[in-house]
């Protein structure tokens, strides 16, 4: 069993929809949680990060962490065709920031 | 501000050969990590370097090695290439002690034939 499980998708939504992306993890020692976006033929780009349970909002994006359930989510409001990409959750232990453990990634397609 | 630069972008090698990939981190970043990305296994951590010392290592065979130079540039080497080593190899850099905010390069696409 992988340490981080992510809904594989692919996910196809119409423009303007609310998108929900999710990951579960098994290691309760994970302390830092991130969401990366990866466009085709590019490296992952950090979208959001957090270390505490609760919600964190940045524009159209909201990251949610529930440490008691070992579950994290990313919500995208008013999705745009430019949001079409692969979304990867990642997490790391305290003081091991260079060793990210990634989910498998969810491929998202937003149709105009 | 220049990003993380990886060279070469694409590489084709024959089984049994060895390969060296290069990564130049963002200026001021002294921590460099390497990852392998494949469709089947996703993104997997290879190793991390800080101040020319390997600080963390993933679960890869000894054929995979790396090093970091005094200017923080890093190289990774894969010896005795196997077909299964075909992947996108990504380098990421950050300030030391940063638990998130790692910036990735665009990667080197290695194909082993």
């Amino acid at each position: 069993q992988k340490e981080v499980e992510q809904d594989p998708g692919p996910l196809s939504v119409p423009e303007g929809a609310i998108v929900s992306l999710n990951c579960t993890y098994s290691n309760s020692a994970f302390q830092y949680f991130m969401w990366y976006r990866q466009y085709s033929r590019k490296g992952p780009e950090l979208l959001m990060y957090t270390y505490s349970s609760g919600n964190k909002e940045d524009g159209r994006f909201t990251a949610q962490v529930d440490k008691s359930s070992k579950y994290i989510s990313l919500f995208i409001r008013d999705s745009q065709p430019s949001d079409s990409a692969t979304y990867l959750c990642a997490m790391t232990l305290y003081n091991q920031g260079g060793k990210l453990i990634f989910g498998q990634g969810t491929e998202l397609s937003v149709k105009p | 501000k220049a990003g993380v630069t990886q060279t070469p972008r694409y590489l084709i090698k024959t089984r049994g050969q060895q390969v060296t990939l290069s990564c130049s981190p963002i200026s001021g970043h002294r921590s460099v990590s390497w990852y392998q990305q494949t469709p089947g296994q996703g993104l997997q951590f290879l190793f991390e370097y800080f101040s020319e010392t390997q600080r963390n290592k993933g679960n890869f065979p000894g054929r995979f090695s790396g090093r970091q130079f005094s200017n923080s540039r890093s190289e990774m080497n894969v010896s005795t290439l196997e077909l299964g080593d075909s992947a996108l190899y990504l380098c990421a850099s950050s300030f030391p002690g940063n638990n998130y905010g790692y910036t990735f390069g665009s990667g080197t696409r290695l194909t082993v034939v």
Side-chain angles (χ1 to χ4, degrees), chain B residues 65-93:
Chain B
S65 63
R67 59 178 174 167
Q68 186 180 33
F69 302 95
S70 58
N71 61 358
S72 296
R73 191 177 71 84
S74 178
E75 289 181 346
M76 68 162 282
N77 184 277
V78 188
S79 63
T80 319
L81 283 165
E82 299 177 0
L83 296 179
D85 296 333
S86 294
L88 180 67
Y89 290 88
L90 291 157
C91 165
S93 75

Side-chain angles (χ1 to χ4, degrees), chain B residues 4 28 76 103:
Chain B
V4 177
M76 68 162 282
T103 302

Side-chain angles (χ1 to χ4, degrees), chain A:
Chain A
Q1 185 190 4
K2 289 180 180 286
E3 279 189 286
V4 180
E5 299 278 359
Q6 183 173 0
D7 292 346
L11 191 59
S12 182
V13 302
E15 183 175 353
I18 295 175
V19 176
S20 171
L21 304 167
N22 310 293
C23 289
T24 58
Y25 60 96
S26 56
N27 188 348
S28 58
F30 283 136
Q31 292 205 0
Y32 299 94
F33 305 90
M34 287 138 277
W35 285 95
Y36 281 84
R37 176 175 62 194
Q38 186 175 23
Y39 291 113
S40 180
R41 287 185 289 278
K42 294 286 188 183
E45 167 196 15
L46 180 66
L47 269 179
M48 298 194 70
Y49 61 87
T50 185
Y51 61 88
S52 57
S53 282
N55 293 352
K56 181 177 180 180
E57 194 171 312
D58 184 3
R60 296 185 296 112
F61 298 90
T62 299
Q64 187 176 81
V65 173
D66 183 344
K67 286 188 177 181
S68 62
S69 301
K70 299 206 242 344
Y71 187 91
I72 70 171
S73 298
L74 178 72
F75 299 95
I76 307 174
R77 290 183 297 281
D78 188 24
S79 56
Q80 302 296 310
S82 58
D83 294 329
S84 298
T86 296
Y87 289 80
L88 299 137
C89 64
M91 42 202 83
T92 187
L93 302 172
Y94 174 74
N95 208 29
Q96 291 204 14
K99 184 180 178 181
L100 296 172
I101 308 300
F102 282 89
Q104 189 71 8
T106 301
E107 187 179 344
L108 171 67
S109 177
V110 181
K111 304 293 187 186

